[in-house]
Amino acid sequence: IADKAMCEKVLRSGTNLGVFPGGLDEANTLGTTSGDVRIKTRTGFIRLAIKHGVPVLPTFTFGELDAVDAVALLPPAATQWVKRNLRMSTTFFAGRWGTFIPKRVPFNMCVGAPIPVTKMDPSETEVFAMQVERVHEAYKSEIQRLYEENKRKFGYDDRPLVFI
């Protein structure tokens, strides 16, 4: 299970951890806009990085949006209710031949510059919050830079990146 407790255990052991923020929110917004690439601005992974003193390495993978087509099974209001109350997605993902098998498309991962963090205790509420804000802004800036520098090369030049 990839929950917060497991992430804490891995980080305490001194092992690096790869986290791909996303999930239900992004899954349920796919296909709802005209080609936008939407990234929810989460901070939980940044809080963990600061608590354990590990740098954040921004990455962006081009091609994920082309591997499957998102098909909304319920109206938006019902989708939100199910997501909020049952913590599950109502989006169906159709790949090759309308099945769950993803389409054969290249995935191109671009890696940005590591963002250094200062290890600190979350109980130092005000200072900790300022550090989270600083790292989060640096993370978003580096994701935006990666996207802008590579979008034309990987066929995303007509897709704006939107932080939600």
Side-chain angles (χ1 to χ4, degrees):
I1 295 177
D3 60 6
K4 182 180 176 183
M6 182 55 72
C7 292
E8 293 265 8
K9 181 178 177 181
V10 169
L11 290 169
R12 276 193 307 273
S13 76
T15 304
N16 286 331
L17 177 67
V19 177
F20 296 90
L24 288 176
D25 294 318
E26 285 79 2
N28 286 318
T29 60
L30 285 174
T32 60
T33 60
S34 57
D36 291 354
V37 176
R38 297 179 145 216
I39 298 176
K40 179 119 175 151
T41 54
R42 300 173 182 275
T43 59
F45 68 101
I46 291 172
R47 293 175 187 283
L48 279 174
I50 294 168
K51 180 178 177 181
H52 294 277
V54 295
V56 174
L57 183 64
T59 62
F60 187 89
T61 303
F62 291 89
E64 290 178 319
L65 295 179
D66 303 318
V68 293
D69 296 317
V71 179
L73 299 177
L74 298 174
T79 296
Q80 290 303 314
W81 186 91
V82 170
K83 181 182 80 170
R84 186 176 48 255
N85 294 297
L86 304 178
R87 295 299 299 157
M88 59 185 270
S89 176
T90 60
T91 303
F92 173 76
F93 296 99
R96 282 188 271 176
W97 314 294
T99 68
F100 63 90
I101 300 169
K103 299 173 192 171
R104 288 182 173 234
V105 296
F107 279 25
N108 297 284
M109 180 182 276
C110 299
V111 180
I115 300 166
V117 303
T118 302
K119 183 177 181 176
M120 63 178 50
D121 188 334
S123 66
E124 300 174 44
T125 320
E126 193 172 313
V127 179
F128 188 81
M130 287 173 31
Q131 177 78 335
V132 169
E133 180 67 25
R134 180 195 68 78
V135 173
H136 189 239
E137 288 305 314
Y139 171 79
K140 289 191 318 186
S141 178
E142 187 64 6
I143 292 289
Q144 186 74 51
R145 185 191 68 76
L146 282 172
Y147 188 81
E148 294 302 324
E149 281 185 8
N150 294 286
K151 67 181 183 179
R152 176 162 283 134
K153 182 177 8 177
F154 299 120
Y156 276 46
D157 37 337
D158 62 340
R159 292 173 154 174
L161 178 65
V162 179
F163 291 102
I164 55 172

